[in-house]
């Protein structure tokens, strides 16, 4: 049972435009969400997170939006840069209940020149 | 460099064999997580330890076991290996639980022939 779903395996975006990566979750008990970025031959690295008490969190070019009623979150990257080409993983957890962090399958983002 | 060290980086073995993957967390991190990434799969949560004790368990097979030692390094033991166990195994560490950022190692790539 995939509790965190990233339905787009890949996405191509022109350099300078906005990249939007989507993530859906099924477990309404999740209350903390994270995005990780992974380059080939490296481990994932933390990008940005959001607590369920917020609906938006921004860090430079990266903004995460959370829609709790739809159980949906998205990561916006503006403007997209060549170095953003990577696999992006969405993750969800329940910090006050258990320590599991559940990841989606990832979306491969290609930034086109 | 995340500060998390995993060894070996690559391992090739035969079906039915047993292997041990090792993880040294970042200095000061008490939590260690193990994840499996198979082809076309996301990061599957296996198990988490906090300061030597098992804290959370995911879809870890009975043939797999793990432990965290007093010096906080962790080992993942995989036995009676099958072809389907071929995957990238990641270790991650954090200071506390999942509300904190996870720092991932570069992974151990296991190939079972």
């Amino acid at each position: 049972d995939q509790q965190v779903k990233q339905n787009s395996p890949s996405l191509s975006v022109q350099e300078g435009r906005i990249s939007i990566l989507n993530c859906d979750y099924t477990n309404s008990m999740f209350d903390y969400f994270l995005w990780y970025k992974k380059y080939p031959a490296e481990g994932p690295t933390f990008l940005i997170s959001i607590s369920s008490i917020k609906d938006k969190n921004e860090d430079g070019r990266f903004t995460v939006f959370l829609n709790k009623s739809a159980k949906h979150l998205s990561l916006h990257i503006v403007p997209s840069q060549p170095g953003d080409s990577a696999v992006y993983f969405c993750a969800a957890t329940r910090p006050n209940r258990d320590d599991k962090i559940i990841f989606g399958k990832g979306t491969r983002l290609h930034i086109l020149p | 460099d995340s500060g998390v060290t995993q060894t070996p980086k690559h391992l090739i073995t035969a079906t039915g064999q047993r292997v041990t993957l090792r993880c040294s967390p970042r200095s000061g991190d008490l939590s260690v997580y193990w994840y499996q990434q198979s082809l076309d799969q996301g990061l599957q949560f296996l198990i988490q330890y906090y300061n030597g004790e098992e804290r959370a368990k995911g879809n870890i097979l009975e043939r797999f076991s793990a432990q965290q030692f007093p010096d906080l390094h962790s080992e993942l033991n995989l036995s009676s290996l099958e072809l389907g166990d071929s995957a990238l195994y990641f270790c991650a560490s954090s200071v506390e639980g999942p509300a904190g950022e996870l720092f991932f190692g570069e992974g151990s790539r296991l190939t079972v022939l």
Side-chain angles (χ1 to χ4, degrees):
Chain A
D1 177 29
Q2 197 75 21
Q3 296 187 63
V4 177
K5 300 178 184 179
Q6 294 178 257
N7 293 320
S8 299
S10 67
L11 176 68
S12 294
V13 174
Q14 209 75 32
E15 181 180 353
R17 307 294 287 266
I18 182 171
S19 296
I20 300 176
L21 295 97
N22 294 303
C23 177
D24 298 292
Y25 60 97
T26 58
N27 189 342
S28 58
M29 301 295 282
F30 287 138
D31 53 14
Y32 195 77
F33 305 89
L34 311 97
W35 284 92
Y36 280 78
K37 175 179 176 180
K38 184 182 181 305
Y39 292 119
E42 294 183 11
T45 55
F46 171 76
L47 197 54
I48 193 169
S49 63
I50 187 167
S51 164
S52 60
I53 62 172
K54 292 184 172 184
D55 54 17
K56 176 182 173 182
N57 188 27
E58 195 171 347
D59 183 3
R61 297 186 298 115
F62 302 91
T63 303
V64 56
F65 295 92
L66 175 62
N67 182 333
K68 289 185 289 293
S69 61
K71 297 194 188 68
H72 177 85
L73 61 155
S74 60
L75 174 69
H76 293 212
I77 306 173
V78 182
S80 300
Q81 298 176 353
D84 297 329
S85 294
V87 176
Y88 290 80
F89 290 98
C90 170
T93 186
R94 313 181 304 173
N96 297 321
R97 295 176 182 82
D98 62 44
D99 286 10
K100 294 181 185 180
I101 304 178
I102 306 300
F103 283 78
K105 290 189 178 183
T107 296
R108 184 176 299 276
L109 177 63
H110 300 271
I111 303 302
L112 306 171
Chain B
D1 182 8
S2 67
V4 178
T5 303
Q6 289 188 248
T7 57
K9 285 190 171 23
H10 301 275
L11 188 56
I12 301 175
T13 188
T15 55
Q17 295 298 304
R18 172 190 167 95
V19 298
T20 297
L21 309 180
R22 182 188 168 101
C23 171
S24 294
R26 284 189 330 152
S27 176
D29 284 359
L30 299 179
S31 275
V32 169
Y33 297 76
W34 286 98
Y35 284 86
Q36 178 194 56
Q37 185 182 21
S38 303
L39 193 63
D40 293 332
Q41 295 294 314
L43 294 163
Q44 301 290 317
F45 171 68
L46 295 178
I47 199 163
Q48 184 232 345
Y49 283 84
Y50 178 78
N51 203 20
E53 295 192 3
E54 182 183 308
R55 179 70 70 92
K57 213 167 188 176
N59 297 324
I60 187 167
L61 299 172
E62 285 191 12
R63 299 184 287 108
F64 295 0
S65 65
Q67 55 184 325
Q68 186 180 27
F69 295 87
D71 66 354
L72 301 177
H73 91 271
S74 178
E75 293 181 356
L76 179 66
N77 301 296
L78 316 174
S79 62
S80 303
L81 285 168
E82 301 175 359
L83 295 177
D85 298 327
S86 295
L88 199 49
Y89 291 85
F90 286 104
C91 169
S93 73
S94 70
V95 174
E96 295 179 359
E101 177 183 343
L102 291 188
F103 293 86
F104 281 83
E106 293 184 351
S108 292
R109 182 171 292 283
L110 172 66
T111 302
V112 182
L113 300 176

